[in-house]
Amino acid sequence: MKTFCGRANPTTGAMEWIEEDEDYDYHQEIARSRYADMLHDKDRNMKYYQGIRAAVSRVKERGEKAIVLDIGTGTGLLSMMAASAGADFCYAVEVFKPMANAAVKIVEKNGFRDKIKVINKHSTEVTVGPDGDMQCRANILVTELFDTELIGEGALPTYEHAHKYLVQEGCEAVPHRATVYVQLVESKRMWSWNKLFPVRVEAEDGEKIIVSPSEMENCPGVPSVCDIQLNQMPSSDFTILSNVVTMFSVDFSKPVRSASTYYRVQLEPIQSGKAQIVLSWWDIDMDPSGTINCTMAPYWVKSTSAFQWRDHWMQCVYFLPNEEPVVRGDAVYLTAWRDQYSVWYKLQKAREEENKADVHIESPVCRCQAHLLWNRPRFGELNDQNRTRQYVRALMKVLKTDSVCLCISDGSLLPVLAHCLGAKQVPYFFLANHLEDKIKIIEARPELLTSSHLEDKKISVLLGEPFFTTSLLPWHNLYFWYARTAVTSHLASNVTVLPQSASLHMIIVEFQDLWRIRSPCGTCEGFNVQTMDDMIK
Ligand code: SAH
């Protein structure tokens, strides 16, 4: 059987369907890069190894056999650590087939064939019993199922199931516990990634302000996590409003509940300002005493973090539903809501009645459509006043009162800017400012544009930022070139095309850290993972 996979063609912008074999997994490339990054994460690997050794010793000291369940084994790394630490047997579960196949080879190459059984299943499909995948329940549970948001890869339901069906009561868990920390900040830069600021346009007849419609203003945005390298964020880009507080923690050695819930903390602002953003990160304690700790704390919380680079775990930026003024010393309540896979935040001045039954737990869902069209960097770009000013300057040079403009760009503000600056008619696009009769949205690909779409008018100004949502790489925006050619027959003989030309610049660099995500690893904590290297290469 073959599967059809959708791919955007960067030249034509069109969605194309490509036939792939049944067992082709189109997440492979992503998966590979993340795996390499994890294998290069010395701090993570060392601490897992220490935690696993300690857990195996504790079980052995009790005179028990050490039976390990490693959920999401990937390359088999954590199982090999456990076997080397003296575990009697390891069940290594991996759902992703190409990885499970690699794990089998790696385990064999390292001589652990008798100690480690690779099970190519999702953990919730694993059976226990004489004829099952596992002979008996495990007494050591090892996993690395965490993303930057901790729970985004489904760690909670996986743990919940494992405690019910796959491990013994009172089992050892590595990691033993995870703790989520938060800090309240004001940051115009980060805030600009989630809401459209009013756009100021200096026209000849005075300043005009483009505002976003109220449904956009009040839209809660999307639930997908905004994960960034906070260690790359200069301190001048945000103002800290609160100390770091613990939001919640999860003990992995006890039954875990994945059902939606909320956690609330009281914060005392240490600085007055506009609360806009909750910064968040987590740490994991590999052992119950908390002496083996692996933390994602940013540089201003832990100075050595500045040198601890990793791309598979970063820090989270959460946007509060609305900005709230806070006053130094006046307590506020921060609530973290979570479902099985994501977390979101709300800030309140007074303590709300804690009647759990009344509490409404619904993750943010975009109501305004803009968050579905524009990703966070794109919001930031549209909010860049300097950039807007340059477009306005360019438009003022080329627009005349009788200009007929055609804009080719996805979700662009150019048509609104052009209208503010006096263009007669702007086909294509858009939204709030009651411009429906001035700006016409044409739902057609450039090559399918007809004169009737344009009411038989010829285009005097062809505009583009250019920006296209299908562009994955910077030069994919050169699609504008293709589109411009496709609409040639509709252009007036003296047409102005903006942008007029483009040049592609490149430079060869050496990365300090980023090279790691695609680089072969050779051996990891003494284990030969070359099979993985072959996949990465
Ligand atoms: N344990 C390895 C790899 C961690 S990446 C290491 O530490 O280096 C997490 C892996 O878990 C991925 O390969 C993913 O496919 C797998 N996975 C996630 N949830 C799973 C589940 N519930 N059952 C089986 N595999 C799972």
Side-chain angles (χ1 to χ4, degrees):
M1 205 176 79
K2 300 264 184 182
T3 326
F4 285 108
C5 300
R7 299 271 167 75
N9 177 329
T11 309
T12 64
M15 199 63 167
E16 291 172 356
W17 294 94
I18 293 167
E19 226 182 315
E20 296 287 6
D21 279 338
E22 181 188 18
D23 60 359
Y24 178 81
D25 187 313
Y26 46 91
H27 289 127
Q28 250 191 66
E29 291 84 358
I30 303 164
R32 276 184 208 153
S33 63
R34 286 292 174 110
Y35 283 111
D37 189 34
M38 291 186 296
L39 294 178
H40 284 288
D41 188 343
K42 180 88 189 145
D43 178 63
R44 177 198 87 120
N45 300 339
M46 248 169 47
K47 285 166 180 169
Y48 261 97
Y49 210 167
Q50 288 170 16
I52 289 169
R53 280 200 198 102
V56 172
S57 306
R58 288 197 299 278
V59 169
K60 293 274 180 183
E61 273 162 25
R62 296 200 290 260
E64 293 169 27
K65 274 190 162 184
I67 308 296
V68 176
L69 170 62
D70 169 13
I71 302 182
T73 198
T75 53
L77 179 68
L78 305 182
S79 287
M80 293 192 293
M81 288 178 178
S84 302
D88 294 276
F89 201 78
C90 302
Y91 295 102
V93 184
E94 174 55 55
V95 65
F96 184 39
K97 194 168 173 202
M99 268 326 298
N101 292 344
V104 170
K105 286 190 200 144
I106 294 171
V107 161
E108 185 142 351
K109 211 174 210 164
N110 288 277
F112 292 108
R113 201 212 295 202
D114 303 334
K115 291 270 179 201
I116 300 172
K117 178 181 176 186
V118 177
I119 303 168
N120 178 205
K121 280 187 176 181
H122 192 268
S123 60
T124 52
E125 305 293 323
V126 170
T127 55
V128 182
D131 302 320
D133 299 311
M134 297 169 68
Q135 289 287 304
C136 62
R137 287 183 176 231
N139 54 5
I140 300 179
L141 176 56
V142 177
T143 83
E144 201 276 64
L145 301 167
F146 314 114
D147 68 341
T148 293
E149 202 176 18
L150 188 72
I151 64 170
E153 280 173 17
L156 294 177
T158 293
Y159 270 106
E160 182 169 41
H161 174 272
H163 277 287
K164 278 188 189 149
Y165 303 105
L166 307 177
V167 298
Q168 297 169 19
E169 206 182 312
C171 78
E172 300 286 343
V174 183
H176 178 80
R177 149 185 355 96
T179 308
V180 173
Y181 302 90
V182 294
Q183 189 164 31
L184 199 60
V185 304
E186 171 175 342
S187 168
K188 192 173 176 204
R189 177 182 292 278
M190 293 186 242
W191 194 237
S192 81
W193 300 339
N194 196 47
K195 291 229 193 260
L196 190 65
F197 298 161
V199 183
R200 290 170 192 284
V201 184
E202 295 289 343
E204 264 161 21
D205 51 347
E207 190 190 62
K208 295 176 186 174
I209 299 178
I210 302 168
V211 292
S212 48
S214 62
E215 67 258 45
M216 216 163 127
E217 197 50 43
N218 300 318
C219 179
V222 280
S224 62
V225 68
C226 177
D227 50 349
I228 66 164
Q229 297 276 7
L230 273 187
N231 287 327
Q232 305 286 326
M233 179 71 73
S235 55
S236 55
D237 266 343
F238 59 98
T239 307
I240 288 172
L241 301 180
S242 83
N243 288 323
V244 177
V245 293
T246 298
M247 200 67 223
F248 64 92
S249 50
V250 188
D251 180 342
F252 296 121
S253 71
K254 305 238 163 61
V256 168
R257 272 174 49 87
S258 70
S260 298
T261 188
Y262 71 95
Y263 312 89
R264 182 168 293 153
V265 293
Q266 184 178 338
L267 288 178
E268 206 147 280
I270 53 170
Q271 169 101 15
S272 300
K274 276 184 279 183
Q276 296 168 322
I277 301 289
V278 176
L279 298 180
S280 173
W281 58 90
W282 48 261
D283 66 12
I284 42 182
D285 284 318
M286 296 299 183
D287 64 334
S289 67
T291 49
I292 312 164
N293 180 271
C294 184
T295 182
M296 305 309 126
Y299 65 90
W300 65 92
V301 179
K302 191 169 183 256
S303 56
T304 51
S305 293
F307 312 105
Q308 176 56 63
W309 187 90
R310 42 167 79 92
D311 207 50
H312 64 113
W313 289 334
M314 297 183 259
Q315 293 80 26
C316 308
V317 174
Y318 293 98
F319 307 92
L320 288 170
N322 291 295
E323 54 185 16
E324 292 275 353
V326 294
V327 178
R328 184 178 165 173
D330 277 5
V332 287
Y333 295 90
L334 183 68
T335 311
W337 309 77
R338 70 148 185 81
D339 57 18
Q340 289 190 326
Y341 299 97
S342 59
V343 184
W344 60 100
Y345 285 87
K346 199 171 147 185
L347 190 74
Q348 285 152 316
K349 286 273 153 80
R351 200 178 176 84
E352 268 188 1
E353 271 309 295
E354 280 195 34
N355 183 352
K356 274 216 171 190
D358 284 352
V359 178
H360 189 57
I361 302 185
E362 202 179 77
S363 75
V365 176
C366 172
R367 293 189 295 256
C368 72
Q369 310 283 318
H371 297 92
L372 307 178
L373 178 68
W374 296 328
N375 61 19
R376 280 144 185 158
R378 177 68 174 150
F379 265 98
E381 196 170 69
L382 292 171
N383 280 326
D384 181 345
Q385 279 288 340
N386 197 26
R387 185 175 180 276
T388 304
R389 225 172 290 130
Q390 305 224 28
Y391 278 110
V392 167
R393 274 213 339 252
L395 284 170
M396 279 166 93
K397 276 195 192 151
V398 302
L399 288 179
K400 304 196 181 73
T401 47
D402 61 349
S403 292
V404 176
C405 305
L406 176 68
C407 175
I408 303 177
S409 268
D410 286 345
S412 174
L413 296 179
L414 281 188
V416 190
L417 296 181
H419 171 73
C420 286
L421 295 167
K424 181 174 155 201
Q425 202 170 1
V426 192
Y428 206 78
F429 202 44
F430 188 67
L431 31 90
N433 301 265
H434 306 293
L435 299 172
E436 293 85 348
D437 54 333
K438 305 287 185 201
I439 298 174
K440 182 177 166 190
I441 299 165
I442 303 171
E443 284 185 53
R445 306 192 48 73
E447 61 274 27
L448 301 177
L449 198 69
T450 62
S451 343
S452 64
H453 282 128
L454 301 172
E455 292 155 3
D456 293 325
K457 294 192 183 82
K458 288 283 179 193
I459 302 303
S460 51
V461 181
L462 179 66
L463 300 171
E465 293 189 33
F467 170 86
F468 303 100
T469 49
T470 47
S471 303
L472 293 175
L473 297 168
W475 54 88
H476 290 169
N477 284 325
L478 292 178
Y479 164 67
F480 183 75
W481 182 0
Y482 169 88
R484 182 246 176 273
T485 311
V487 301
T488 304
S489 65
H490 303 290
L491 305 179
S493 55
N494 60 346
V495 66
T496 306
V497 179
L498 190 162
Q500 199 181 39
S501 65
S503 15
L504 190 60
H505 300 254
M506 43 200 90
I507 187 168
I508 295 172
V509 300
E510 177 180 345
F511 282 125
Q512 189 180 319
D513 296 301
L514 197 62
W515 57 269
R516 266 182 264 196
I517 64 171
R518 289 292 168 99
S519 138
C521 187
T523 59
C524 180
E525 296 299 309
F527 303 104
N528 179 336
V529 292
Q530 266 170 21
T531 306
M532 185 63 211
D533 291 345
D534 296 340
M535 290 172 79
I536 296 166
K537 279 191 249 169

